[in-house]
Structure formats: structure tokens, C-alpha cells
Amino acid sequence: MSRNTRPRRVSWLRVGFLADGVFKLLVASIYVVLLQVMTDFLDAPPWLLVATAALVATSGIAEITFALRSGAGSHTRYLVAYDSGWVIVTFIAALLAFNDVLGAGTFWLAYQLLASPLVAAVFAFGARRAQTD
């Protein structure tokens, strides 16, 4: 008896995309709710934190929409690239901060500010494409 594991894999991918999107919404919410604390901690201007929160939230919403409409494995590489970049930038920013280099928090936010719209566009296009298929 042959057992098809493809549907199960796709559903786990959907859960992964959904969880990543929810995590991004949580991060964006923390940025906004704790705006003053975060700007002080990161030594970054409030406008940068608000802009970053908006774009990270947009990315999260696009991922959630994609998870609900498709969840195709073809988009896993985009999350791996984004999250790998985030980890590397976090490591570099932490090293800079521990060495009292000004702008470490701004550097960390700038990555998210620049990379989040790319991820949002990729996932929004993928969700729209899945809807027309």
C-alpha cells in the first residue's frame, strides 16, 4: 500500500509559514508597544523603529496570506535567506554593541527595513499566483 506524504509535507510547510508570519507580527507589535524602551535600548530614532515595524508586519501578513492560500515549498528558500541574514546581522550588531560602536541598533533595524519589503513582495506575489491557479 503506497502512502502519499505530499499533503502532510505541505501542511507542515503551511504551519511553518504561518508561524513565521505570526512571529513577525509579534516582533512588529513589540517595536510599537515598547517604542520608547526599544528606541533607548537600540539607540535608534523612533521613526526608524516605526517604519521597520510597519514593514516587518507587512512581511508577516504576506507570509500568513501565502500560508493560507498555498504554502508551497518553493518559497522556503526565501525565508531561509531572510532569517539567515537576520541572524548574521544580529550577530554583527551584537558585536558592535558590545564594543560600544554607535549605530549597532540602527544597523540591525536597517536590515529588517530593507529585507522585509522584499520578502513581503515575494510572498504576496506567491499568494496572488496561488489564488489564480
Side-chain angles (χ1 to χ4, degrees), residues 76-124:
T76 304
R77 64 180 174 246
Y78 302 115
L79 285 186
V80 169
Y82 175 84
D83 290 345
S84 296
W86 201 354
V87 168
I88 292 167
V89 167
T90 299
F91 179 73
I92 293 168
L95 285 176
L96 293 171
F98 287 129
N99 288 305
D100 295 325
V101 175
L102 293 176
T106 301
F107 171 69
W108 187 67
L109 290 171
Y111 171 78
Q112 296 169 61
L113 184 76
L114 297 173
S116 290
L118 298 175
V119 170
V122 165
F123 278 90

Side-chain angles (χ1 to χ4, degrees), residues 25-39 49-50 53:
L25 287 177
L26 178 64
V27 167
S29 298
I30 290 169
Y31 289 171
V32 173
V33 171
L34 301 175
L35 183 63
Q36 189 59 52
V37 173
M38 292 298 292
T39 55
L49 205 59
V50 171

